[in-house]
Amino acid sequence: MTYLHYQYCVSDFVIADEYKKEYFTEKIDSDYQVPFSNIKHSTNANLKSLEGTPRRIFVPKDEIIKYINGDKAFFTYNPLSDTPEIYLELSKIVIFDERSLMKFIKKYGLPYNLEQPKPGSGLFESELFRKNDKEKFLLGMDVLRFYEKLIKLKNVFKIWHAIQENDLKQLNEYREEFRFYAEYYETYSAAYIDELSIDDFAEVVFNDAGFLYKGGEIRHVLDEFKKDKNKIFHLKDKASEIQETWKQVKNSSKPKTIASAYLQLKLKDIDSGITATRFMNGKIIPAISFSNLMEVGGYQLKQAIFKNKKLEQCLNCGALFEKSHGLRKFCPPVMGNKRSTCENTYNQRLKRLRKKSESEEN
Ligand SMILES: [Zn+2]
């Protein structure tokens, strides 16, 4: 089977030598309350307040000027060929752990490009240069917005990994989660209608179904539906992909199949770049364009799912990596290195152990 696979990425990503951080103070802007409680809810993080955690990470002014003027050589890399497993690196970042985030940024640069320069100022895309596709330099990142994206990527990764490992306990949990969301309306619709009038309920369903304008024929369709409760429920079912998908698989005896259907719905949560073109050797060729590393990770993760890639655990650190050929037992080498750091560490530890046991024998 062939899959839509793009060999070329339009732009290289740039890494700065220095990144600065701005921390939350005791006065937390109201913009951050909702993302904070959402993130806490989905990670079970035991963090009482944002105070003292980084709000924004950014490239300092002097670095940007040096880049624009060409005063300094910046490290750049191609995210498809130089970092083929960046989705695994991203999924290692621990939410609210500044050290693990900075470790990633030092190696790969900022993973995300939405920033809020000042609290209350609104979110902006922060990359240089948007209209020149040759290089992408991400200048600033709002940490909470990044975490929101990261949680979705990690979640997709976890479901996929549970399917790969045939982890029945996890797979059953996903089945229950899937059922909960799919049957939510059936379970609560009676109470819902009690609260609202049938007219209001029809309006809500029409909105959910994506009929955002109420002019023209849709106005008349809505009036028809307001007369008949069953019609509204029918529309509700038809418009909901989660309900439709659940109906397809709910009687399946294979936990993997049910989890795969659920995973497919979750894949919609992650961005994975857009198709583009590149001019090479006198010809126009297909390529892919990414705005940030989250899109690169999303693209790679989808490719890994399509190709049913197998993951293996590193002998040294326990992290997961893609099994490419049978011989590899360690994390891949860090970009720019030939040897794997984990392999080196592991071999040195073995050597030390051997020496130690030899001297004990003597
Ligand atoms: Zn490792």
Side-chain angles (χ1 to χ4, degrees):
M1 218 186 306
T2 51
Y3 298 103
L4 205 52
H5 177 80
Y6 293 90
Q7 203 176 342
Y8 298 101
C9 165
V10 169
S11 16
D12 287 345
F13 279 75
V14 181
I15 306 179
D17 287 335
E18 199 193 343
Y19 288 93
K20 281 197 167 159
K21 285 167 273 182
E22 186 191 305
Y23 290 88
F24 279 108
T25 54
E26 53 181 328
K27 261 176 60 198
I28 308 291
D29 196 78
S30 59
D31 290 359
Y32 289 104
Q33 292 304 346
V34 173
F36 181 45
S37 56
N38 285 344
I39 296 165
K40 268 208 321 196
H41 178 74
S42 42
T43 55
N44 294 320
N46 185 22
L47 193 69
K48 292 212 164 48
S49 142
L50 285 169
E51 192 182 348
T53 68
R55 183 185 79 82
R56 175 170 87 108
I57 303 175
F58 59 98
V59 179
K61 181 190 85 187
D62 292 349
E63 283 279 288
I64 301 173
I65 294 174
K66 279 180 197 158
Y67 177 77
I68 294 172
N69 290 344
D71 292 341
K72 193 177 94 178
F74 281 75
F75 188 85
T76 66
Y77 65 99
N78 180 300
L80 287 187
S81 51
D82 296 330
T83 57
E85 295 176 17
I86 210 160
Y87 71 99
L88 293 169
E89 294 299 315
L90 283 164
S91 53
K92 283 181 204 163
I93 298 176
V94 181
I95 309 274
F96 293 129
D97 180 301
E98 192 181 328
R99 261 187 59 200
S100 83
L101 177 58
M102 292 317 291
K103 200 175 149 195
F104 179 93
I105 291 173
K106 226 181 138 203
K107 270 194 216 165
Y108 305 104
L110 289 174
Y112 199 50
N113 61 332
L114 278 188
E115 80 164 328
Q116 192 160 344
K118 279 184 197 144
S121 63
L123 279 168
F124 299 91
E125 286 184 25
S126 74
E127 74 265 27
L128 277 184
F129 298 93
R130 215 175 309 166
K131 293 203 167 165
N132 176 358
D133 269 340
K134 209 173 146 315
E135 284 180 346
K136 281 245 180 290
F137 192 8
L138 309 188
L139 301 180
M141 175 177 99
D142 187 276
V143 177
L144 292 198
R145 308 290 159 173
F146 164 67
Y147 284 157
E148 285 182 318
K149 288 270 169 192
L150 183 63
I151 285 168
K152 289 179 172 160
L153 187 85
K154 278 172 168 250
N155 195 24
V156 165
F157 178 70
K158 263 178 68 184
I159 301 173
W160 176 56
H161 194 228
I163 295 170
Q164 289 270 334
E165 297 286 301
N166 202 19
D167 180 341
L168 288 175
K169 190 175 163 276
Q170 272 292 330
L171 293 179
N172 282 326
E173 277 173 28
Y174 289 131
R175 185 179 193 278
E176 284 315 300
E177 201 177 295
F178 193 0
R179 182 217 301 278
F180 174 80
Y181 290 117
E183 291 179 349
Y184 188 83
Y185 255 93
E186 274 172 54
T187 316
Y188 296 103
S189 57
Y192 212 75
I193 288 204
D194 277 351
E195 292 275 313
L196 297 169
S197 67
I198 183 159
D199 280 14
D200 288 342
F201 184 61
E203 298 264 359
V204 169
V205 171
F206 265 61
N207 268 327
D208 286 355
F211 299 140
L212 293 177
Y213 71 101
K214 306 273 168 47
E217 295 313 295
I218 292 296
R219 174 86 259 156
H220 303 304
V221 175
L222 179 60
D223 290 340
E224 280 298 307
F225 275 63
K226 280 179 178 174
K227 293 177 199 155
D228 187 344
K229 208 161 75 174
N230 289 328
K231 272 190 185 162
I232 304 172
F233 280 121
H234 181 69
L235 171 65
K236 179 75 212 159
D237 280 1
K238 204 177 168 64
S240 158
E241 196 175 1
I242 185 163
Q243 277 169 291
E244 287 284 301
T245 315
W246 173 245
K247 276 184 198 156
Q248 277 178 44
V249 295
K250 68 175 183 183
N251 295 320
S252 167
S253 57
K254 295 187 179 124
K256 273 188 177 191
T257 306
I258 298 171
S260 296
Y262 192 47
L263 172 62
Q264 196 278 135
L265 295 171
K266 294 284 175 189
L267 281 177
K268 292 171 196 297
D269 290 346
I270 58 174
D271 301 322
S272 47
I274 54 168
T275 58
T277 50
R278 203 171 161 172
F279 188 66
M280 257 176 90
N281 303 328
K283 275 199 291 191
I284 296 170
I285 52 161
I288 188 159
S289 162
F290 301 111
S291 313
N292 54 57
L293 298 179
M294 294 308 291
E295 292 185 2
V296 178
Y299 174 80
Q300 290 174 346
L301 180 51
K302 282 180 187 173
Q303 289 291 325
I305 294 169
F306 297 154
K307 292 172 184 163
N308 196 19
K309 290 255 185 187
K310 297 283 179 281
L311 297 179
E312 203 160 331
Q313 254 192 333
C314 171
L315 268 184
N316 180 57
C317 72
L320 295 165
F321 62 87
E322 275 184 10
K323 191 173 175 176
S324 43
H325 35 80
L327 298 169
R328 220 173 87 188
K329 293 200 162 49
F330 301 93
C331 293
V334 178
M335 191 166 40
N337 289 19
K338 280 217 172 90
R339 288 284 296 254
S340 153
T341 326
C342 277
E343 189 172 358
N344 282 341
T345 315
Y346 184 82
N347 286 338
Q348 267 160 27
R349 203 166 50 216
L350 270 191
K351 232 189 253 171
R352 271 202 304 274
L353 278 175
R354 237 178 266 137
K355 267 195 186 150
K356 207 177 154 220
S357 68
E358 273 168 21
S359 62
E360 273 166 10
E361 275 168 29
N362 291 333

